[in-house]
Amino acid sequence: MRQPIVGMELADIQAALGALPDPPPVFRARQLYDAVYRQRVADLAGISNLPKQLRERLALEFLMGLPAVERRYQSSDGTVRYLLKLTDGKTVETVWMPAEVRSDNAGAERATICISSQVGCPVDCKFCLTALLGLERHLTAGEIVGQVLVAGGTAPVDRLNIVMMGQGEPLLNLANVLKATRLLMDPEGIGLSPRRITLSTAGIIPKIAELGQAPLRPKLAISLNASTEEQRQALMPITRKYHLKDLMEACRAYPLRPWEKLTFEYVLLKGVNDTDADARRVVQLLARLNAKVNLIALNPGPGIPFETPDPARVASFQAIIRRSLPCFIRKPRGLDVYAACGQLKRMETGLMQIQ
C-alpha cells in the first residue's frame, strides 16, 4: 500500500526516500518537503523542481494524500463548508470563514479555517450536532494538515488562522494533533505562527498537562459551557470524569507563553445556563486566571433540545463578565449551510452547493 506524503515531516520523507532501491540524492527530500508544504503543490506531477523520472517514480511509490472535496456548501455570508473524503472513504468537515477586508489593506483577505481532529466525536455534548455522529476514528496528522492545504489553497499564511474546533476532541488524538501542529508551524514548511493556531478541548485534564509540555503547541481554548459542576455534567457527560475544580487547577498550572491568554468558550442555552447568576459564577471560576471568554449563542439544529437566548440576554451575560475579564460574543458564521460552531454533522442542505 502506498504511503501518503502529506503528514510526513522532513525526517519521515528522508527515511522513506532513503529506503527506496537506488535512493535519490538526499537533497531531493528537502525539495519534496518544500513543494508539499511551502509551495502547497497539490499533486506529485506538479512538483517542477524534481526531475520527471523521479516524479513518476514517486507517484508509483507514494500518494500525495490530500483529502478529496466531496461537496462544498457556500453560505450567504461567504463561509464555505467542505465535506472532505479521506482515502478510506470516511468523510470529515472543514470550514473556511473569510473575514471582512480591512479598509487599510484593500484586496487582502483574512480567513479562519476550522479543522477537524477526528471523524465524528466521542464527547457527547448535548447541545452539539457533531455529538450525534459518535466517534468513527482518529484522523492522522496528514489528514489534519490536509484540511488546511485543501481549504487554504495558496492563501498567504499571515492571512490565515487555524482553529481545531471542528469534528472531534483534539486532546483525545493528541499525538497526531501535535505532529500536525509541527508541520503547520515549521518555518521551512507551511510556516504558521503559534499565535494563529488554537485548539479547543472539552477539558481532558491529563492531556492538558501533556499539551503544555509540548515544545510546539497551539493556543488552548477550554469549552466551559456551565457555571456549576452539576450543570456541566448534564450538558457535557464526559466531564463526569473530569471535574470542574480539577479543570480549574489544571488551567492555573498550564504554562502560558508571555503573549498568551487561556480562552474559555461558553455556549449560551436559553433558560439553562444564561442567567446573570451564571455569569457571576463564571467570573468567580476564572478569577485567578489570565483568561478571556468567548460567548456563543446556541447555533440550533435538528435533534438539539435547546433554544438560542435572546440578544438582550446574551448582552447582559457579557456585560457582567466584562467587568472582570475580556469577553467577546462570537458571531455565528455559515448558519444557513450548517457550518457554524456545533453544527458539523455532514448535513445535506437545499442551499447552493458549489461543484
Side-chain angles (χ1 to χ4, degrees), residues 20-295:
L20 295 174
D22 188 21
V26 173
F27 70 89
R28 296 297 187 194
R30 170 70 68 179
Q31 289 180 315
L32 178 55
Y33 183 87
D34 180 85
V36 171
Y37 297 116
R38 191 180 64 80
Q39 299 178 47
R40 291 181 251 174
V41 175
D43 63 84
L44 292 169
I47 303 177
S48 57
N49 60 345
L50 295 181
K52 182 180 178 183
Q53 185 177 8
L54 178 56
R55 280 179 271 160
E56 292 172 349
R57 187 179 177 196
L58 291 175
L60 292 173
E61 298 285 347
F62 302 100
L63 296 169
M64 180 61 91
L66 289 172
V69 178
E70 182 82 351
R71 292 187 180 89
R72 294 184 290 180
Y73 294 101
Q74 174 78 55
S75 169
S76 58
D77 65 16
T79 298
V80 179
R81 175 168 66 96
Y82 289 87
L83 183 67
L84 300 177
K85 181 176 281 190
L86 310 173
T87 54
D88 64 354
K90 299 283 188 186
T91 57
V92 74
E93 286 165 299
T94 302
V95 180
W96 166 273
M97 294 173 283
E100 293 180 2
V101 177
R102 289 170 44 171
S103 59
D104 62 346
N105 204 0
E109 184 181 51
R110 294 185 180 274
T112 296
I113 304 175
C114 178
I115 62 175
S116 298
S117 56
Q118 296 175 308
V119 182
C121 186
V123 176
D124 195 27
C125 296
K126 299 305 180 183
F127 48 83
C128 180
L129 277 170
T130 312
L132 302 178
L133 293 172
L135 177 65
E136 296 182 37
R137 68 168 174 84
H138 293 326
L139 294 181
T140 66
E143 290 166 340
I144 296 169
V145 172
Q147 295 172 69
V148 177
L149 296 175
V150 169
T154 57
V157 293
D158 64 347
R159 303 293 172 196
L160 291 179
N161 294 297
I162 309 299
V163 292
M164 297 180 182
M165 299 180 184
Q167 291 182 12
E169 165 53 68
L171 292 190
L172 293 179
N173 187 21
L174 186 55
N176 285 319
V177 164
L178 287 178
K179 185 173 185 180
T181 299
R182 293 194 298 270
L183 287 166
L184 291 169
M185 290 185 185
D186 184 359
E188 300 298 319
I190 296 173
L192 284 161
S193 163
R195 296 172 183 257
R196 294 191 172 272
I197 307 176
T198 302
L199 176 156
S200 177
T201 176
I204 313 301
I205 292 172
K207 294 295 184 178
I208 289 174
E210 188 177 337
L211 175 68
Q213 298 306 309
L216 289 174
R217 54 184 165 89
K219 296 182 295 182
L220 178 60
I222 307 289
S223 197
L224 185 61
N225 307 318
S227 65
T228 68
E229 186 78 74
E230 297 74 22
Q231 194 182 66
R232 196 162 189 262
Q233 289 182 10
L235 294 173
M236 305 169 68
I238 197 170
T239 64
R240 294 168 191 166
K241 188 175 180 180
Y242 304 110
H243 296 163
L244 195 52
K245 178 179 179 292
D246 298 328
L247 176 62
M248 292 300 105
E249 287 298 327
C251 290
R252 280 188 277 274
Y254 192 77
L256 291 172
R257 291 157 287 197
W259 47 266
E260 189 175 13
K261 288 181 181 290
L262 285 171
T263 298
F264 287 86
E265 298 161 319
Y266 196 101
V267 177
L268 291 159
L269 310 173
K270 185 174 182 177
V272 176
N273 65 351
D274 64 343
T275 67
D276 288 353
D278 283 305
R280 288 190 287 270
R281 283 192 292 267
V282 169
V283 169
Q284 291 172 351
L285 278 171
L286 308 184
R288 293 168 51 200
L289 294 170
N290 182 11
K292 63 179 181 179
V293 178
N294 283 342
L295 300 178

Side-chain angles (χ1 to χ4, degrees), residues 300-350:
I304 299 299
F306 301 105
E307 296 179 29
T308 304
D310 298 331
R313 176 90 305 270
V314 176
S316 177
F317 198 99
Q318 181 193 32
I320 291 169
I321 294 180
R322 287 182 76 173
R323 294 171 196 156
S324 304
L325 293 162
C327 182
F328 307 92
I329 298 172
R330 191 188 297 173
K331 181 180 177 182
R333 301 295 302 274
L335 278 170
D336 54 345
V337 292
Y338 293 102
C341 182
Q343 288 191 322
L344 299 184
K345 187 177 173 282
R346 303 195 285 248
M347 302 284 283
E348 295 287 342
T349 80

